[in-house]
Amino acid sequence: MNPLGTAFLFHFREQLRSKGFRITSIVMSAVILGFFAYNHFMSKEEEVMISVINNSSYEVNEDALGKMIDGLKYKEVKADQLDAEKEKIKEQDIDHLIVIDEKDSLPVLNYSYHRYPDPNVIYAFSTILQPQYLQKVAAEHSISQEAVGDLFATIPVEKNMLAENNGSLGIVYVFIFLMYTFIIMFGQGIAMSITGEKSTRVMEVMITKIKPVYMLFAKVLSNLAAGLIQVSIFFLAGYLAYLLGWINTDQLSIFGFSFDLSQIDAALIIIFMFFFACGYLVYALCYAALGSVISRTEDLGSVVGPVMMLVMGALMVGIKTMMDPTGALVTFATYFPFFSPIVAFSKYVMGELSTAELIGSGAVLVASIMLIVYLASSIYVKGVMVYGEKFKWSQLGEMMKKEKSQNL
């Protein structure tokens, strides 16, 4: 077997046998199964407990409220219990307290809540009381009920979604989360591994046995393979939950984002694998190159800071893509290699990326990776031989000037 293959298998086995890999796989699989199990067995309707003090002449129709507020638990109390009910709000024994007063025939609502108001509760009570107030005013001014009904008739609105894909935000959310987590975990792991080998002088022994550039690719590719296996384990955990009947495919959502399983086909999986692998390679090569230029692990944070900022930027733009997939920033990020793995795939899933744009984004990404490979290998080959010196960003320019005699 060639040296690259030998080094790859060594690092790959080392990664699979590591405690971090096993613990992460087990814990995340348990979290995924637990999430779907909780939703399945604890999916009963959440109760909304509302106490009402009615000091007005208006009536509150409990049945009508129940149609607008899911899980309503309605209780009408006397005015002298106001302070006691407010204490219940503070102790979270009830969710909402509504006091209905009347001023010049106009119903006035006093709404008390623990921390965050519920617009649905306010809307429901306003909807119940508004028609009664209109009827009273109409009677006082001798206005016919037909005229009042015409004046306050609701304008009908027909909603038509023209996007091809619906229920796709859940897939986008999962991809963004996986990509961000994967880059942080494995990217920093590569940088720490290289720095650790230099600080313990293991690197000096290794470079006598294998070319540094082979060591670079072996580390990067072995972590990619291990990461893809770990992602597969996560999806298998989700599939197990599906086989156990814990997933309702008609109402599946991830943190409020609908997840349409019918969209998952061979083409989507292939494109997912492509952008996932390319996104990892872009950042892993940067982490590896920067990890090679320092000799102490405590200096790692300051050196990889710019890469971390790019990762955070990719996360932010990815979230923006979910809200505005056609914006100018998102369009630019579709072809920017540090952002395009997340943005381009997200737009594809949402039906906002044409075939030509998909190919163009992929071509720019592959070309950028080839350039990053050249630069990262140049830095790595020279960086692993630098010891003791405090890193300066100006040194990168010198390291990237590869001499012909060092062409590997």
Side-chain angles (χ1 to χ4, degrees), residues 267 271 274-275 334-335 344-345 347-349 353-365:
I271 294 174
F274 171 78
F275 280 110
T334 304
Y335 301 96
F345 178 79
K347 290 181 66 175
Y348 172 79
V349 174
L353 193 70
S354 65
T355 303
E357 291 173 326
L358 177 65
I359 295 174
S361 177
V364 172
L365 182 57

mmCIF file of all heavy atoms in Angstrom, residues 267 271 274-275 334-335 344-345 347-349 353-365:
data_model
loop_
_atom_site.group_PDB
_atom_site.id
_atom_site.type_symbol
_atom_site.label_atom_id
_atom_site.label_comp_id
_atom_site.label_asym_id
_atom_site.label_seq_id
_atom_site.Cartn_x
_atom_site.Cartn_y
_atom_site.Cartn_z
ATOM 1 N N ALA A 267 -31.153 12.160 -5.859
ATOM 2 C CA ALA A 267 -30.493 13.402 -6.279
ATOM 3 C C ALA A 267 -30.177 14.292 -5.085
ATOM 4 O O ALA A 267 -29.080 14.870 -4.986
ATOM 5 C CB ALA A 267 -31.384 14.150 -7.274
ATOM 6 N N ILE A 271 -26.384 15.442 -3.854
ATOM 7 C CA ILE A 271 -26.031 16.862 -3.731
ATOM 8 C C ILE A 271 -25.660 17.188 -2.284
ATOM 9 O O ILE A 271 -24.734 17.971 -2.020
ATOM 10 C CB ILE A 271 -27.190 17.740 -4.227
ATOM 11 C CG1 ILE A 271 -27.375 17.538 -5.739
ATOM 12 C CG2 ILE A 271 -26.940 19.213 -3.929
ATOM 13 C CD1 ILE A 271 -28.580 18.243 -6.312
ATOM 14 N N PHE A 274 -22.152 15.973 -1.736
ATOM 15 C CA PHE A 274 -21.187 16.812 -2.446
ATOM 16 C C PHE A 274 -20.894 18.088 -1.659
ATOM 17 O O PHE A 274 -19.721 18.409 -1.377
ATOM 18 C CB PHE A 274 -21.716 17.156 -3.839
ATOM 19 C CG PHE A 274 -20.896 18.183 -4.566
ATOM 20 C CD1 PHE A 274 -19.697 17.838 -5.173
ATOM 21 C CD2 PHE A 274 -21.314 19.504 -4.638
ATOM 22 C CE1 PHE A 274 -18.929 18.790 -5.824
ATOM 23 C CE2 PHE A 274 -20.563 20.463 -5.295
ATOM 24 C CZ PHE A 274 -19.361 20.104 -5.897
ATOM 25 N N PHE A 275 -21.940 18.819 -1.300
ATOM 26 C CA PHE A 275 -21.724 20.093 -0.615
ATOM 27 C C PHE A 275 -21.214 19.877 0.806
ATOM 28 O O PHE A 275 -20.438 20.686 1.325
ATOM 29 C CB PHE A 275 -23.012 20.916 -0.601
ATOM 30 C CG PHE A 275 -23.272 21.633 -1.893
ATOM 31 C CD1 PHE A 275 -24.315 21.249 -2.724
ATOM 32 C CD2 PHE A 275 -22.480 22.687 -2.289
ATOM 33 C CE1 PHE A 275 -24.555 21.902 -3.916
ATOM 34 C CE2 PHE A 275 -22.710 23.358 -3.483
ATOM 35 C CZ PHE A 275 -23.747 22.949 -4.303
ATOM 36 N N THR A 334 -23.794 32.406 -2.695
ATOM 37 C CA THR A 334 -23.971 31.177 -3.474
ATOM 38 C C THR A 334 -22.688 30.790 -4.201
ATOM 39 O O THR A 334 -22.445 29.602 -4.470
ATOM 40 C CB THR A 334 -25.116 31.351 -4.489
ATOM 41 O OG1 THR A 334 -26.305 31.734 -3.784
ATOM 42 C CG2 THR A 334 -25.393 30.054 -5.242
ATOM 43 N N TYR A 335 -21.850 31.783 -4.508
ATOM 44 C CA TYR A 335 -20.610 31.521 -5.249
ATOM 45 C C TYR A 335 -19.363 31.809 -4.420
ATOM 46 O O TYR A 335 -18.259 31.660 -4.928
ATOM 47 C CB TYR A 335 -20.593 32.373 -6.524
ATOM 48 C CG TYR A 335 -21.759 32.102 -7.430
ATOM 49 C CD1 TYR A 335 -22.895 32.902 -7.390
ATOM 50 C CD2 TYR A 335 -21.741 31.026 -8.313
ATOM 51 C CE1 TYR A 335 -23.980 32.648 -8.218
ATOM 52 C CE2 TYR A 335 -22.819 30.769 -9.145
ATOM 53 C CZ TYR A 335 -23.934 31.572 -9.086
ATOM 54 O OH TYR A 335 -25.013 31.315 -9.907
ATOM 55 N N ALA A 344 -25.781 27.299 -1.133
ATOM 56 C CA ALA A 344 -26.218 26.697 -2.391
ATOM 57 C C ALA A 344 -27.124 25.495 -2.145
ATOM 58 O O ALA A 344 -28.162 25.340 -2.799
ATOM 59 C CB ALA A 344 -25.002 26.288 -3.227
ATOM 60 N N PHE A 345 -26.751 24.646 -1.196
ATOM 61 C CA PHE A 345 -27.599 23.488 -0.911
ATOM 62 C C PHE A 345 -28.954 23.928 -0.353
ATOM 63 O O PHE A 345 -30.001 23.376 -0.707
ATOM 64 C CB PHE A 345 -26.908 22.553 0.084
ATOM 65 C CG PHE A 345 -27.744 21.361 0.455
ATOM 66 C CD1 PHE A 345 -27.833 20.269 -0.386
ATOM 67 C CD2 PHE A 345 -28.455 21.337 1.649
ATOM 68 C CE1 PHE A 345 -28.612 19.173 -0.060
ATOM 69 C CE2 PHE A 345 -29.238 20.252 2.000
ATOM 70 C CZ PHE A 345 -29.318 19.166 1.135
ATOM 71 N N LYS A 347 -30.562 26.738 -0.909
ATOM 72 C CA LYS A 347 -31.376 27.284 -1.988
ATOM 73 C C LYS A 347 -31.896 26.175 -2.899
ATOM 74 O O LYS A 347 -33.028 26.248 -3.394
ATOM 75 C CB LYS A 347 -30.564 28.298 -2.803
ATOM 76 C CG LYS A 347 -30.256 29.589 -2.060
ATOM 77 C CD LYS A 347 -29.471 30.569 -2.916
ATOM 78 C CE LYS A 347 -30.292 31.054 -4.090
ATOM 79 N NZ LYS A 347 -29.578 32.101 -4.869
ATOM 80 N N TYR A 348 -31.081 25.146 -3.108
ATOM 81 C CA TYR A 348 -31.523 24.026 -3.948
ATOM 82 C C TYR A 348 -32.718 23.322 -3.311
ATOM 83 O O TYR A 348 -33.715 23.018 -3.989
ATOM 84 C CB TYR A 348 -30.372 23.042 -4.152
ATOM 85 C CG TYR A 348 -30.796 21.767 -4.835
ATOM 86 C CD1 TYR A 348 -30.986 21.723 -6.215
ATOM 87 C CD2 TYR A 348 -31.029 20.603 -4.102
ATOM 88 C CE1 TYR A 348 -31.387 20.553 -6.842
ATOM 89 C CE2 TYR A 348 -31.431 19.434 -4.723
ATOM 90 C CZ TYR A 348 -31.612 19.411 -6.093
ATOM 91 O OH TYR A 348 -32.027 18.258 -6.714
ATOM 92 N N VAL A 349 -32.635 23.057 -2.029
ATOM 93 C CA VAL A 349 -33.732 22.373 -1.335
ATOM 94 C C VAL A 349 -34.996 23.216 -1.369
ATOM 95 O O VAL A 349 -36.109 22.694 -1.500
ATOM 96 C CB VAL A 349 -33.332 22.063 0.125
ATOM 97 C CG1 VAL A 349 -34.508 21.493 0.903
ATOM 98 C CG2 VAL A 349 -32.167 21.087 0.155
ATOM 99 N N LEU A 353 -32.794 27.532 -6.651
ATOM 100 C CA LEU A 353 -31.512 27.443 -7.357
ATOM 101 C C LEU A 353 -31.718 26.635 -8.638
ATOM 102 O O LEU A 353 -32.120 25.467 -8.588
ATOM 103 C CB LEU A 353 -30.462 26.774 -6.466
ATOM 104 C CG LEU A 353 -29.005 26.877 -6.922
ATOM 105 C CD1 LEU A 353 -28.510 28.315 -6.782
ATOM 106 C CD2 LEU A 353 -28.118 25.937 -6.119
ATOM 107 N N SER A 354 -31.451 27.274 -9.778
ATOM 108 C CA SER A 354 -31.617 26.585 -11.059
ATOM 109 C C SER A 354 -30.476 25.594 -11.273
ATOM 110 O O SER A 354 -29.457 25.613 -10.578
ATOM 111 C CB SER A 354 -31.640 27.596 -12.199
ATOM 112 O OG SER A 354 -30.383 28.249 -12.319
ATOM 113 N N THR A 355 -30.631 24.725 -12.258
ATOM 114 C CA THR A 355 -29.594 23.740 -12.562
ATOM 115 C C THR A 355 -28.287 24.415 -12.957
ATOM 116 O O THR A 355 -27.198 24.002 -12.546
ATOM 117 C CB THR A 355 -30.061 22.806 -13.685
ATOM 118 O OG1 THR A 355 -31.287 22.173 -13.298
ATOM 119 C CG2 THR A 355 -29.022 21.745 -13.981
ATOM 120 N N ALA A 356 -28.390 25.478 -13.766
ATOM 121 C CA ALA A 356 -27.194 26.207 -14.193
ATOM 122 C C ALA A 356 -26.486 26.838 -13.000
ATOM 123 O O ALA A 356 -25.242 26.810 -12.897
ATOM 124 C CB ALA A 356 -27.566 27.279 -15.211
ATOM 125 N N GLU A 357 -27.258 27.425 -12.079
ATOM 126 C CA GLU A 357 -26.665 28.035 -10.885
ATOM 127 C C GLU A 357 -26.042 26.970 -9.986
ATOM 128 O O GLU A 357 -24.990 27.201 -9.385
ATOM 129 C CB GLU A 357 -27.733 28.817 -10.118
ATOM 130 C CG GLU A 357 -28.210 30.066 -10.825
ATOM 131 C CD GLU A 357 -29.381 30.715 -10.108
ATOM 132 O OE1 GLU A 357 -30.202 29.980 -9.525
ATOM 133 O OE2 GLU A 357 -29.483 31.961 -10.148
ATOM 134 N N LEU A 358 -26.674 25.815 -9.916
ATOM 135 C CA LEU A 358 -26.136 24.720 -9.110
ATOM 136 C C LEU A 358 -24.789 24.253 -9.658
ATOM 137 O O LEU A 358 -23.818 24.087 -8.904
ATOM 138 C CB LEU A 358 -27.128 23.559 -9.085
ATOM 139 C CG LEU A 358 -26.695 22.299 -8.332
ATOM 140 C CD1 LEU A 358 -26.550 22.601 -6.848
ATOM 141 C CD2 LEU A 358 -27.697 21.168 -8.559
ATOM 142 N N ILE A 359 -24.728 24.075 -10.972
ATOM 143 C CA ILE A 359 -23.468 23.647 -11.601
ATOM 144 C C ILE A 359 -22.395 24.726 -11.451
ATOM 145 O O ILE A 359 -21.234 24.441 -11.154
ATOM 146 C CB ILE A 359 -23.709 23.316 -13.085
ATOM 147 C CG1 ILE A 359 -24.652 22.103 -13.200
ATOM 148 C CG2 ILE A 359 -22.390 23.050 -13.800
ATOM 149 C CD1 ILE A 359 -25.063 21.798 -14.625
ATOM 150 N N GLY A 360 -22.800 25.986 -11.663
ATOM 151 C CA GLY A 360 -21.844 27.088 -11.534
ATOM 152 C C GLY A 360 -21.284 27.202 -10.127
ATOM 153 O O GLY A 360 -20.072 27.372 -9.934
ATOM 154 N N SER A 361 -22.163 27.099 -9.118
ATOM 155 C CA SER A 361 -21.711 27.175 -7.729
ATOM 156 C C SER A 361 -20.782 26.009 -7.401
ATOM 157 O O SER A 361 -19.741 26.197 -6.758
ATOM 158 C CB SER A 361 -22.921 27.163 -6.787
ATOM 159 O OG SER A 361 -22.513 27.176 -5.437
ATOM 160 N N GLY A 362 -21.142 24.813 -7.884
ATOM 161 C CA GLY A 362 -20.291 23.643 -7.636
ATOM 162 C C GLY A 362 -18.943 23.756 -8.310
ATOM 163 O O GLY A 362 -17.910 23.384 -7.728
ATOM 164 N N ALA A 363 -18.920 24.301 -9.540
ATOM 165 C CA ALA A 363 -17.659 24.449 -10.268
ATOM 166 C C ALA A 363 -16.736 25.442 -9.570
ATOM 167 O O ALA A 363 -15.525 25.200 -9.427
ATOM 168 C CB ALA A 363 -17.934 24.894 -11.697
ATOM 169 N N VAL A 364 -17.306 26.576 -9.127
ATOM 170 C CA VAL A 364 -16.497 27.567 -8.404
ATOM 171 C C VAL A 364 -15.965 26.966 -7.112
ATOM 172 O O VAL A 364 -14.803 27.200 -6.731
ATOM 173 C CB VAL A 364 -17.335 28.831 -8.113
ATOM 174 C CG1 VAL A 364 -16.572 29.785 -7.189
ATOM 175 C CG2 VAL A 364 -17.704 29.540 -9.412
ATOM 176 N N LEU A 365 -16.782 26.177 -6.444
ATOM 177 C CA LEU A 365 -16.377 25.567 -5.181
ATOM 178 C C LEU A 365 -15.231 24.575 -5.392
ATOM 179 O O LEU A 365 -14.241 24.588 -4.642
ATOM 180 C CB LEU A 365 -17.582 24.867 -4.552
ATOM 181 C CG LEU A 365 -17.367 24.204 -3.185
ATOM 182 C CD1 LEU A 365 -16.863 25.233 -2.167
ATOM 183 C CD2 LEU A 365 -18.665 23.574 -2.697
#
